[in-house]
Amino acid sequence: MPIAARAETETLKILDGGEWKTSTTGRFGQVFNPSTGEAIARVPFCSAEETGKVIESAAAAFPACANTPAVDRAHLLFRYRELMTQN
């Protein structure tokens, strides 16, 4: 059975330093809805340079996150859950 694709498949962005950015790669993979097999988005296969920059940004953000009290981090996760449920 052939896999269906949407007419306009969204291309996902990468999160770098707290900002969503468009990848400069020319390589992409498809994201599928597991219940229908429909291609619902494209995800970039980032270059080694892009991946390195994102890892550096995450490493730089880690100390502030690690020093955030667990209760505050839990509030963020509950808020994330709430947004996921709504959308």
Side-chain angles (χ1 to χ4, degrees):
M1 170 167 77
I3 295 175
R6 292 181 179 186
E8 292 184 26
T9 304
E10 177 184 7
T11 299
L12 302 178
K13 295 183 177 188
I14 58 174
L15 183 62
D16 180 11
E19 295 181 31
W20 291 103
K21 298 179 180 178
T22 301
S23 174
T24 59
T25 188
R27 296 181 53 223
F28 298 88
Q30 291 186 316
V31 178
F32 297 98
N33 178 330
S35 65
T36 65
E38 177 185 25
I40 57 173
R42 293 181 345 141
V43 62
F45 292 150
C46 295
S47 66
E49 182 180 340
E50 280 180 321
T51 303
K53 286 175 60 179
V54 170
I55 291 170
E56 288 174 9
S57 294
F62 179 74
C65 181
N67 290 325
T68 300
V71 171
D72 293 346
R73 292 195 308 258
H75 284 285
L76 287 172
L77 291 174
F78 281 115
R79 177 69 178 135
Y80 175 73
R81 178 185 170 273
E82 181 180 323
L83 291 170
M84 290 292 290
T85 300
Q86 290 174 1
N87 296 292

